[in-house]
């Protein structure tokens, strides 16, 4: 899998795709959430895989985590879906993303499901 990252303006959204995530995960110091592996897009975290849709932006991940019962403590969530997992929750995630008009989130699911179906 090739490595890439996306940086979105001042919100400090980074999407990094690496082969050996476990080797650098302990080094992550500031993140609202970490999505591990090719079957773990941000859209799953927003809608279905255990974290929530409210994550810190504009650099606030240096001080705050996503909204939860631990809002006043700093922590970083991490999640990893399998091909079976994204197949199970993918339709629900894609539907919710479409309703919200978030085409990139929807496509993150559909592209992965298409890749699974082709194998």
């Amino acid at each position: 899998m090739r490595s890439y990252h996306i940086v979105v303006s001042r919100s400090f959204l980074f999407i990094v795709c690496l082969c050996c995530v476990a080797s650098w995960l302990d080094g992550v110091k500031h993140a609202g959430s970490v999505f591990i592996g090719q079957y773990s897009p941000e859209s799953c975290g927003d809608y279905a895989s255990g974290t929530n849709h409210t994550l810190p932006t504009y650099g606030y991940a240096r001080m705050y985590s996503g909204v939860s019962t631990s809002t006043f403590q700093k922590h970083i969530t991490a999640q990893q879906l399998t091909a079976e997992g994204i197949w199970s929750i993918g339709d629900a995630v894609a539907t919710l993303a479409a309703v919200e008009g978030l085409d990139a989130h929807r496509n993150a699911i559909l592209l992965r499901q298409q890749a699974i179906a082709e194998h």
Side-chain angles (χ1 to χ4, degrees):
M1 181 179 297
R2 69 175 195 211
S3 298
Y4 65 92
H5 72 278
I6 299 171
V7 181
V8 179
S9 68
R10 295 185 59 215
S11 68
F12 297 102
L13 168 65
F14 290 90
I15 298 173
V16 181
C17 186
L18 301 169
C19 293
C20 301
V21 176
S23 65
W24 64 266
L25 187 58
D26 288 340
V28 175
K29 301 298 181 212
H30 307 297
S33 191
V34 178
F35 300 88
I36 302 167
Q38 64 184 3
Y39 301 118
S40 306
E42 178 187 355
S43 43
C44 284
D46 284 354
Y47 301 113
S49 66
T51 58
N52 60 61
H53 193 80
T54 308
L55 296 173
T57 57
Y58 296 104
Y60 285 102
R62 293 179 181 188
M63 300 164 285
Y64 303 105
S65 306
V67 176
S68 71
T69 57
S70 301
T71 296
F72 298 103
Q73 297 177 335
K74 184 176 186 296
H75 66 280
I76 297 171
T77 63
Q79 51 197 289
Q80 181 174 12
L81 279 73
T82 62
E84 180 182 349
I86 197 150
W87 200 260
S88 295
I89 66 173
D91 290 343
V93 174
T95 299
L96 289 166
V99 168
E100 289 192 348
L102 300 173
D103 294 333
H105 276 357
R106 181 176 174 269
N107 289 336
I109 301 299
L110 298 180
L111 290 172
R112 285 167 174 85
Q113 287 181 325
Q114 180 181 358
I116 292 166
E118 291 173 357
H119 282 78

